[in-house]
Amino acid sequence: MKVSEIFKSIEGEGLRTGQAAVFVRLHGCNLRCAYCDSMYAVEGDDFKQMSADEVLMAVESYRTESGVKCVTLTGGEPLIHEGASELLSKFSDAGFEVNVETNGTVPCKWRLPGLFYTMDWKCKSSGMSAKMKIQNMQTLCENDVLKFVVGNIEDLQEAESVVAQLLPERMPHIYISPVFGSIPNEQIVEWMVDSKIMTENNARFQVQLHKVVWNPDMRGV
């Protein structure tokens, strides 16, 4: 499979925010979001062909060196890759706790020990909203994350509409974050606390922590 980079950092978003993890970023994506901050993993030839065993060996070296047990599989879009199932199975069998960051175009097919999904709903400002399917969101469960990256009030209203269509008994963790530099944080927070749907479903505001700690344009963090 095409691997853009493998590195150790902290989780910048979601359930494991601030926690050390090894990131495996696969190359290639079926979307072209307006605010994408990792186009180097979407287009071009900046990648290395690696087998699932080679990726596992690279990740294992970080565990041996520093004890890290969390893996984040990201992209691009990792679930469009042939071999994604094999790689996830190897991570699970090796005892890693795996977060799969996925763009919302692929249903959550695999349920393995130690694995959860962080799925995006691409709102209108991404330019990819028409590619979203509520059925894919409904494959999430209470251990997963549904993330909305918003650039304006219309995006927030779209997020509210999506959450309203989810099954309460399978409601994932809901996170909302700003398109970096496009909407004031306080505007999102004020809207969220006034939204009955978001409040009832324990929606959480977040920023991309890695962009606070490091230069927002830095790779490998």
Side-chain angles (χ1 to χ4, degrees):
M1 65 188 68
K2 297 177 180 179
V3 179
S4 176
E5 55 188 348
I6 301 175
F7 60 93
K8 186 178 74 171
S9 186
I10 58 166
E11 290 268 20
E13 304 170 87
L15 290 178
R16 302 194 304 207
T17 298
Q19 188 171 349
V22 178
F23 289 77
V24 177
R25 187 182 300 280
L26 302 186
H27 187 282
C29 190
N30 56 344
L31 297 182
R32 294 295 184 273
C33 297
Y35 50 72
C36 181
D37 59 3
S38 55
M39 283 301 294
Y40 60 88
V42 174
E43 298 176 341
D45 58 2
D46 186 8
F47 61 84
K48 179 181 179 181
Q49 288 282 359
M50 298 178 71
S51 68
D53 282 331
E54 288 172 332
V55 174
L56 178 63
M57 187 180 305
V59 172
E60 284 278 18
S61 69
Y62 283 101
R63 181 161 64 179
T64 300
E65 177 185 324
S66 62
V68 64
K69 61 184 178 181
C70 296
V71 175
T72 296
L73 183 64
T74 187
E77 170 47 52
L79 296 185
I80 64 172
H81 288 262
E82 184 178 351
S85 175
E86 179 188 6
L87 181 59
L88 291 173
S89 293
K90 287 182 180 295
F91 284 152
S92 179
D93 290 345
F96 286 105
E97 299 171 9
V98 185
N99 174 19
V100 181
E101 294 188 336
T102 180
N103 66 17
T105 61
V106 182
C108 301
K109 306 173 188 177
W110 303 293
R111 291 292 172 186
L112 299 166
L115 182 149
F116 72 94
Y117 293 90
T118 298
M119 181 179 282
D120 277 9
W121 176 278
K122 302 297 185 181
C123 294
K124 188 173 181 179
S125 68
S126 73
M128 295 289 113
S129 184
K131 304 287 188 180
M132 295 294 98
K133 296 179 180 179
I134 192 66
Q135 295 93 328
N136 290 345
M137 310 300 123
Q138 291 168 341
T139 65
L140 296 169
C141 68
E142 61 275 10
N143 296 322
D144 299 318
V145 171
L146 177 56
K147 177 164 66 76
F148 300 92
V149 180
V150 299
N152 51 49
I153 290 295
E154 289 74 20
D155 285 354
L156 286 165
Q157 292 168 340
E158 183 178 349
E160 185 179 57
S161 174
V162 171
V163 173
Q165 297 177 65
L166 300 179
L167 299 172
E169 63 271 20
R170 290 176 58 89
M171 186 64 66
H173 302 277
I174 307 297
Y175 283 83
I176 299 179
S177 60
V179 176
F180 190 77
S182 70
I183 182 173
N185 292 340
E186 60 268 25
Q187 187 175 8
I188 299 175
V189 172
E190 288 168 1
W191 181 90
M192 286 178 62
V193 297
D194 285 338
S195 167
K196 183 178 179 182
I197 289 173
M198 292 303 188
T199 302
E200 286 179 339
N201 290 292
N202 300 315
R204 303 171 190 176
F205 171 75
Q206 65 176 6
V207 296
Q208 293 175 294
L209 185 60
H210 53 290
K211 292 187 176 182
V212 176
V213 176
W214 292 285
N215 183 306
D217 298 320
M218 186 177 292
R219 278 183 60 169
V221 292

